[in-house]
Amino acid sequence: DSMRMEDTMPPYTGPFCGKARVHTDFTPSPYDKDSLKLRKGDIIDIIEKPPVGTWTGLLNNKVGSFKFIYVNIVPEELEQPKKIRTQGKNRRLRPKIGRA
């Protein structure tokens, strides 16, 4: 019955505490229903990352656990690139020579 309840629950939508990129494939045991199947390049939305043990995250609409040794944290700057316009600043830095 518990499996049926999980299938009808809406997918987890947050909050998240970061993102992680998988660098090593990991396929859990068929008996391990809680671990995520990881493929190199996957991006996991991290739900919880305790200092010891396994982390919890969302991957392919599935919430599960994963070992942090298989992932790298994605820095926040890379998650949401900020548009910085430098053209205007460069023009102002040039000194005006010969004009009083």
Side-chain angles (χ1 to χ4, degrees):
D1 287 346
S2 64
M3 290 296 285
R4 287 187 195 140
M5 284 182 64
E6 287 177 12
D7 291 340
T8 59
M9 288 178 62
Y12 184 85
T13 56
F16 298 105
C17 60
K19 290 182 184 291
R21 176 177 281 114
V22 177
H23 59 68
T24 304
D25 290 354
F26 172 73
T27 303
S29 152
Y31 302 104
D32 184 353
K33 300 295 182 192
D34 296 327
S35 291
L36 295 171
K37 182 177 183 178
L38 308 178
R39 289 284 166 249
K40 186 176 179 179
D42 285 348
I43 301 292
I44 302 171
D45 289 304
I46 303 169
I47 297 169
E48 183 181 20
K49 49 181 181 180
V52 179
T54 56
W55 293 359
T56 303
L58 177 70
L59 176 63
N60 299 325
N61 291 323
K62 181 185 177 191
V63 173
S65 59
F66 62 98
K67 293 183 180 174
F68 63 87
I69 59 170
Y70 296 122
V71 302
N72 292 321
I73 298 294
V74 177
E76 287 187 31
E77 309 88 68
L78 299 178
E79 285 181 35
Q80 300 171 346
K82 296 172 185 165
K83 294 180 181 178
I84 300 171
R85 296 182 71 183
T86 56
Q87 288 178 343
K89 290 180 182 177
N90 290 343
R91 288 183 188 148
R92 276 186 267 138
L93 294 176
R94 288 189 204 141
K96 294 182 180 178
I97 300 172
R99 294 184 184 186

